[in-house]
Amino acid sequence: MTYERRYNLLNSKFKELFFPTLLAAIAGNFAILADAFIISAFLGPMNLSVIQSIEPLAQFTNMVYWLIGFGGTILSTSAKANFEEKKANYIFTVSIVSILTISILITVLGLLFPDSFLQILCNSSQLRPLVYEYYKYYLLTIPFLCYFVVLAYFIKTDNFVQLQFRAFLLANVLNVVFDIIFIKYFNMGVGGAALGMAVAYIISVIYISTYFLSSKRTLKLIKINLSKSLSCMKEICKTGFSSSSIALYQSIKLIIINSIILGVFAHVGLVAFNMCCNTLLFVSIFIFGTAQSILPIVSVYYQEKDYNGVEYVARRSLKIAAAFGIFFTLLFTIFPQTILCIFSVSNPSDVPTVLNAVRIFSLCILAYSINFLYIFYIQAIQDIKLSNIVTLLNGLIFPVAFVYIFSIIGNENGIWFAFLISELATLLFIYLHSRYKNIKTNGEYSGFFLKRHHDENERMLEYTITASKNEAVYLSREVQEFLSDEKASVFVSLAIEELLTYILDINDKLDWIDIIVRDNDNFTIISIKHSGIGYNPKVDTNLNSDNIDMLLSISDNIEYSQILGLNNTVITINK
């Protein structure tokens, strides 16, 4: 019987995370879109300028919870992959305490100094009173929104994907309901939309916090001290900065480009740019869901040096992101009126400019989708320097530079084409860097996703077997032939057979088991990964086996953990 890795287990886990995460991303990013849609429907498209003006603050809020949420979950999952449960809990606790402290501080400062904030957000004295109506209630939303999203990121990595999805769905259904109530029935105008969001997230925070009542959770709040927490927070921010800075650069970019567009197009330009931003926000929901799905998987598998598994997930995600990119590029380029219908833009003087802007702007969607996915992937493998560079170029330097240049030397269409050139310039940089990295490391890294290759002196076998005892027996024989140490190979192969057999006995429903064996002159590492009920050889003594006892005696380390809903046993034998 010939064995090979078929990625069934990994594919199953990807699907398990992908669809709920995609739906959660749709729900999680729906709030601003829903507010824009409802404001446009009930108050007219003119009020969409309020949403466009408040967008920098919304993006800054996104930056805060992405910074802590992504940074914390990456470090926490990495700690779990290294079997450091206490460290994972500490990171979780610091993340929750930090996000509450920072978000409350933002709200307090915003309420104490509203004029300063509004001066930055809106340079139009005519619009400023309307912006303030939305702004004051949105500030109240920030602590609840930030806590909600950060906790949601963590519980997803703890295999509470359905709770995450239901919480996001609840938040956004309630957001729409309360928007309509406050705007239509209480006549609160644009402020009603922000108040509706606040009430929705207050209720949803209560629901998602039921996570702490579950006996199945593995993340726990523990006691922390200030000095260690500050050091931990520094690492969280360092790790999460690249993806969170997308929102920071978006805030700065919007302020600058809003000013440039106002100078070229006046008010109709802001309406057109708002439609372009809504188009990209709509697309980013799907790309964000894809990127969020791969983040914990890539982080764990890369930490375990399972580079083939990392490449499989990356390529699968790239196909999905490209498919979304092509679909939405065609949709909004051929039918730009779709986005106008969604947001009720019907002013005859605005429609030609907005249609033209959306049609040209949509050409950047495919490249944007690939770049966005790449940024999250690079962050997941913790290449901090590269992820920060790509995010800065793509999120701020390229778009602002090209929009400014085309606003001077080009016609009005040039501004919209500038976004396409910006995304293509980012893709070119990524390609050139991958070639440079490949040459510099003599082929250790290769390809678009910088796949890392194992040491040439290390032999590796990767197997996927079905939940069958016959396959476990055949596999153990092949492992025995593979291992270089003849004496140890007998005990190891027999122990693996008994381990697999016992795992099958205690699991009524089990589809696939992944086994990876790495062997070199210094050590042999055996990794067994499966879903269902786990087995820890060091703790569980129900399996009375001489072979397991022998394995424990010759092994330098046997570690077991539960992560992403998978049971992971790693056996290390030094030579």
Side-chain angles (χ1 to χ4, degrees), residues 439-472:
I439 295 170
K440 183 181 178 182
T441 61
N442 295 317
E444 181 182 351
Y445 294 86
S446 64
F448 184 79
F449 286 106
L450 299 176
K451 179 186 177 182
R452 190 169 181 178
H453 299 277
H454 290 280
D455 192 315
E456 293 180 356
N457 297 321
E458 182 175 88
R459 298 188 306 147
M460 184 169 69
L461 289 180
E462 299 175 273
Y463 302 115
T464 299
I465 67 170
T466 58
S468 163
K469 291 184 180 180
N470 287 334
E471 290 204 19

Side-chain angles (χ1 to χ4, degrees), residues 440-557:
K440 183 181 178 182
T441 61
N442 295 317
E444 181 182 351
Y445 294 86
S446 64
F448 184 79
F449 286 106
L450 299 176
K451 179 186 177 182
R452 190 169 181 178
H453 299 277
H454 290 280
D455 192 315
E456 293 180 356
N457 297 321
E458 182 175 88
R459 298 188 306 147
M460 184 169 69
L461 289 180
E462 299 175 273
Y463 302 115
T464 299
I465 67 170
T466 58
S468 163
K469 291 184 180 180
N470 287 334
E471 290 204 19
V473 172
Y474 282 117
L475 174 61
S476 69
R477 294 175 184 174
E478 194 157 326
V479 170
Q480 180 178 345
E481 294 177 3
F482 168 74
L483 294 176
S484 56
D485 188 331
E486 293 183 7
K487 183 178 180 180
S489 66
V490 175
F491 297 117
V492 171
S493 62
L494 290 173
I496 287 177
E497 179 184 332
E498 293 205 29
L499 276 172
L500 294 177
T501 301
Y502 184 68
I503 289 170
L504 293 172
D505 285 339
I506 62 176
N507 282 277
D508 294 330
K509 295 181 180 179
L510 197 62
D511 294 325
W512 308 98
I513 302 176
D514 272 357
I515 299 95
I516 298 176
V517 183
R518 294 164 50 206
D519 187 58
N520 59 33
D521 295 335
N522 300 315
F523 56 77
T524 298
I525 294 180
I526 302 103
S527 172
I528 301 173
K529 192 180 268 88
H530 64 94
S531 57
I533 301 172
Y535 168 62
N536 186 346
K538 292 195 300 183
V539 176
D540 192 341
T541 59
N542 292 330
L543 181 54
N544 186 14
S545 164
D546 292 337
N547 292 318
I548 297 296
D549 292 338
M550 179 61 70
L551 179 65
L552 289 169
S553 67
I554 67 173
S555 299
D556 293 271
N557 198 20

Side-chain angles (χ1 to χ4, degrees), residues 49-86:
S49 300
V50 173
I51 298 295
Q52 186 62 22
S53 297
I54 212 72
E55 188 66 19
L57 178 59
Q59 290 297 332
F60 180 77
T61 303
N62 291 348
M63 183 206 72
V64 172
Y65 63 63
W66 282 1
L67 180 70
I68 297 174
F70 288 141
T73 52
I74 288 173
L75 291 179
S76 178
T77 52
S78 296
K80 278 180 167 288
N82 288 321
F83 306 99
E84 298 174 304
E85 295 291 334
K86 186 175 180 180

